[in-house]
Amino acid sequence: MTEPAETSQDRRPPSRKRLGYGEGREALLRAAVRVVGARGLRHLTYRAVAEEAGVTHGLVVHHFGSRDALIEESLAYAIRTSLSSSLLEPGTGRPEDFVAGLTDMVEEDADGQAYQYELLLEARRRPELLPQVRELYDEYFGASHRELDRILPPGVSPTFNRLVFAALDGLVLHQLTGIADRGDTEACLAELRSLLRDLGERPPDRG
């Protein structure tokens, strides 16, 4: 049995998605985060983002105009989405609720987390990105500080808050890179929550 003859219509490339302006921009920003998270910042090109999003190369150019604009806007997008899904401030003041689900977040949003670390290093080379990176971390610091104030009623110092957040940041990085597995992360989080519980139960120093 012979195969049917291939027509010119059969040889056409698959059609690209036709997206509205807002929808297309959002899809491209998500794609940029995935490209950087999976392959590194040096692989962030118009073509790579277009292929990841399933749209035309020209649509990326239309929306962003330059690679620098794509980097800056994808960083702003990462800030918005990271803060909206932050686990740092459940609002209960219970140590057991603090950063609950952190290990799942690392696994489910690995590209998004990797993207943030990539841009953190890029800001060292490109100081113009530093204000946005600082904005992201200031929001993280603020959320963790508010929750730690609930857990430890006398309140916490900015230094202690930064110490706790640095530990969390390191745990995420270690799980993300495979230096540690989720079991290691969970064990460290249990130790941190135990420490916070002990500190919360300690009577305040009235000296």
Side-chain angles (χ1 to χ4, degrees):
M1 185 174 178
T2 60
E3 294 291 327
E6 185 184 38
T7 67
S8 60
Q9 185 174 3
D10 296 327
R11 290 193 295 270
R12 289 175 186 169
S15 61
R16 297 289 187 175
K17 297 177 182 178
R18 189 177 297 275
L19 303 171
Y21 184 83
E23 183 187 3
R25 193 176 195 82
E26 189 86 354
L28 294 175
L29 291 172
R30 287 196 302 269
V33 169
R34 290 196 299 270
V35 168
V36 174
R39 300 163 58 189
L41 190 63
R42 70 179 184 275
H43 292 287
L44 183 64
T45 64
Y46 291 147
R47 193 168 303 282
V49 171
E51 289 176 356
E52 180 67 30
V55 298
T56 63
H57 171 273
L59 188 61
V60 186
V61 179
H62 167 73
H63 278 293
F64 302 103
S66 72
R67 184 173 181 271
D68 285 347
L70 178 59
I71 291 173
E72 291 174 9
E73 293 200 41
S74 60
L75 176 55
Y77 170 80
I79 290 172
R80 294 194 305 273
T81 55
S82 292
L83 296 177
S84 68
S85 60
S86 176
L87 306 172
L88 290 167
E89 193 180 6
T92 65
R94 292 157 40 96
E96 56 267 35
D97 296 335
F98 186 53
V99 291
L102 184 74
T103 50
D104 290 335
M105 180 203 70
V106 176
E107 292 181 355
E108 294 167 5
D109 186 34
D111 287 343
Q113 299 305 309
Y115 174 91
Q116 292 181 47
Y117 290 116
E118 286 276 350
L119 267 293
L120 190 62
L121 292 173
E122 184 66 13
R124 181 175 181 271
R125 297 181 287 267
R126 294 181 51 185
E128 67 272 17
L129 296 176
L130 194 55
Q132 286 180 287
V133 173
R134 281 181 172 158
E135 177 187 347
L136 172 63
Y137 273 78
D138 283 346
E139 293 285 350
Y140 284 154
F141 292 147
S144 64
H145 203 159
R146 289 188 296 271
E147 193 63 25
L148 290 174
D149 274 345
R150 296 184 183 101
I151 295 171
L152 307 175
V156 298
S157 68
T159 304
F160 182 79
N161 176 56
R162 187 174 287 267
L163 176 65
V164 170
F165 183 81
L168 296 173
D169 209 21
L171 291 175
V172 170
L173 180 61
H174 286 187
Q175 184 180 337
L176 185 67
T177 57
I179 293 174
D181 60 26
R182 65 176 294 140
D184 297 322
T185 305
E186 290 288 4
C188 291
L189 291 175
E191 191 74 19
L192 172 62
R193 293 180 186 119
S194 178
L195 172 63
L196 294 176
R197 191 175 298 108
D198 291 345
L199 290 174
E201 294 170 354
R202 182 181 300 175
D205 184 2
R206 303 185 185 279

